[in-house]
Amino acid sequence: VVFNISISNYYLNKNFYRYEPNLIQEYVDYYQEIDSDLLFRTYIDPIHFKPLSNLNLNQSLVYNYMSTSTYVSFYEPAIREFLTINDVNWHIININNPDLLKLLGVKYYIVENENEIPENVNSEFISKINYLSVYKDINSLPLGYTFSNFSNIAVKDNSNINWLNELLVNVEDFNNLSDIQPGERAYLKISDRYQNGLVGTINLNSEQVLFLSIPNNKGWKIYVDDVLTTPMNVDGGFIGLRLSAGEHLLKMYFVPVGFKQGVLLSGFSGIVLVSVLIFNKIKKGKLW
C-alpha cells in the first residue's frame, strides 16, 4: 500500500506543475471589465481548470446576463436539443467546433498553445495568464445578429448544417417565415446590462429574425419597442425574434419561474413564524 501510494504521489506531482498557479475566476472577470463590448463569451478548454481553479466544471457561470457560458459546462436544459444535434451528451462539455464558438459569440480564447485556436479564427495575442495565453478573435460575432435563411430543424441533417448562415427553426415557424427575403445581416448593439437583463438596439434594412445566443428559458420577458414579445425557439433552444425593417429597441429581463410565488410564500411563512412566537410569549405571560 505504501509503495502504491508513493508511486501515485510521484506521478501526480510530476504533472502538477502545469496547473500551478492556476486559472482563476478573477482573470476571466478582468476581460469582461476592460472590453468595450458589454457581453461576449470566452473559450477555455475545461482541462485548464484542474485541479485548483475556482471555476466550476459542472455549472454555468452567470456574467451579468442570465445565460450559459462557454468556458464551463455548457449544459442548460433549454438547449438540450442544440447539444443533442452536436452529439454532446455529457455534463462536462467542451464545445470546440469553430463555427459553434463563433455562433455563440466567443471573443476570447484562453489557451496553452496557439495551435489550440481554430485555423479560421483571425486572432491577435493579448496577454499571458500564468502558463496560459489570451487571444482575441478580431472578427467575433456579438450575442445577437440576424438571419434571413431558415431550415426546418426536424428534417435537417446535422452533418451539413451551416450554423453561421442558416437558422434552424421548427416546422410551424419555418412555414411562417417563408415570406422573408434574403437581406443584409444586422447586429444587436447592447447599450446597457443588468444582473438580470439587457437593453440593446438594432437597425435592419429588411425583415429578418434576430438570433440571440441566450437559452430560451421561460423566465425571460422580452420587449421589442416596448411591446411584450413571445420569442421563437431557434437552433435547438436559443431565442429568436422576428423583426421588421427599421430601428428597434430591445429590452430583456429575466425572473426565474416561480420566483414571485416563492417570495410571497417565504413572506407568509415569516409572518406565521413571528405570530407563533408572539402567541407563545403571550401564553406564557412573558411578552413584556
Side-chain angles (χ1 to χ4, degrees):
V1 172
V2 172
F3 176 77
N4 285 338
I5 291 176
S6 301
I7 293 298
S8 297
N9 285 338
Y10 170 77
Y11 175 77
L12 293 173
N13 289 332
K14 184 178 67 171
N15 293 277
F16 186 77
Y17 74 93
R18 65 191 293 250
Y19 301 117
E20 174 64 31
N22 207 293
L23 180 67
I24 60 175
Q25 187 170 331
E26 285 70 22
Y27 290 142
V28 180
D29 290 337
Y30 173 71
Y31 293 98
Q32 293 280 348
E33 293 170 0
I34 66 171
D35 196 289
S36 58
D37 286 343
L38 294 182
L39 292 176
F40 55 85
R41 289 194 171 97
T42 301
Y43 170 76
I44 306 168
D45 189 325
I47 195 173
H48 297 315
F49 295 153
K50 300 186 297 185
L52 296 178
S53 177
N54 61 352
L55 293 166
N56 193 330
L57 283 171
N58 294 314
Q59 70 180 28
S60 298
L61 298 180
V62 176
Y63 277 86
N64 297 305
Y65 61 102
M66 298 300 297
S67 181
T68 188
S69 305
T70 24
Y71 43 78
V72 284
S73 170
F74 206 71
Y75 180 73
E76 158 70 57
I79 58 171
R80 186 180 295 116
E81 187 175 9
F82 169 80
L83 296 175
T84 301
I85 291 173
N86 289 286
D87 298 321
V88 177
N89 297 292
W90 187 237
H91 63 294
I92 297 178
I93 298 165
N94 179 20
I95 296 179
N96 53 15
N97 180 312
D99 286 345
L100 293 182
L101 293 177
K102 189 170 286 291
L103 175 83
L104 297 170
V106 170
K107 187 172 184 177
Y108 289 93
Y109 289 81
I110 299 181
V111 297
E112 185 173 1
N113 298 305
E114 188 176 1
N115 58 14
E116 294 179 48
I117 302 173
E119 292 182 1
N120 63 342
V121 173
N122 184 15
S123 63
E124 65 174 347
F125 175 78
I126 300 298
S127 64
K128 292 283 292 185
I129 300 177
N130 298 324
Y131 69 95
L132 299 171
S133 298
V134 181
Y135 291 84
K136 181 171 71 173
D137 182 357
I138 299 173
N139 304 119
S140 63
L141 291 173
L143 291 185
Y145 46 94
T146 60
F147 284 83
S148 56
N149 185 30
F150 312 100
S151 294
N152 183 353
I153 194 170
V155 299
K156 190 66 179 180
D157 181 1
N158 63 355
S159 64
N160 63 354
I161 297 175
N162 190 336
W163 290 101
L164 299 178
N165 292 298
E166 61 178 333
L167 194 65
L168 303 184
V169 299
N170 61 40
V171 60
E172 181 179 353
D173 290 326
F174 179 73
N175 294 331
N176 292 335
L177 296 172
S178 60
D179 59 328
I180 291 183
Q181 301 299 314
E184 182 181 353
R185 171 166 283 175
Y187 302 90
L188 178 69
K189 183 175 182 179
I190 298 171
S191 57
D192 206 351
R193 66 180 184 187
Y194 310 99
Q195 187 63 31
N196 68 327
L198 59 88
V199 177
T201 57
I202 188 169
N203 196 347
L204 294 81
N205 291 330
S206 61
E207 185 176 26
Q208 297 186 61
V209 173
L210 172 64
F211 164 78
L212 296 168
S213 59
I214 297 176
N216 188 14
N217 288 306
K218 292 182 179 179
W220 279 111
K221 296 291 185 183
I222 303 175
Y223 295 85
V224 177
D225 301 326
D226 294 322
V227 177
L228 183 62
T229 304
T230 301
M232 294 184 289
N233 206 53
V234 300
D235 275 358
F238 295 97
I239 294 173
L241 299 168
R242 180 168 181 164
L243 301 178
S244 60
E247 187 170 357
H248 298 281
L249 174 65
L250 176 70
K251 298 178 181 178
M252 299 176 57
Y253 306 96
F254 185 84
V255 178
V257 175
F259 176 77
K260 293 181 180 179
Q261 294 87 336
V263 171
L264 293 174
L265 183 60
S266 298
F268 176 75
S269 301
I271 293 173
V272 171
L273 177 61
V274 171
S275 300
V276 170
L277 293 175
I278 293 175
F279 176 78
N280 286 336
K281 290 289 186 180
I282 293 175
K283 187 176 181 181
K284 295 178 180 180
K286 298 179 180 180
L287 181 60
W288 310 111

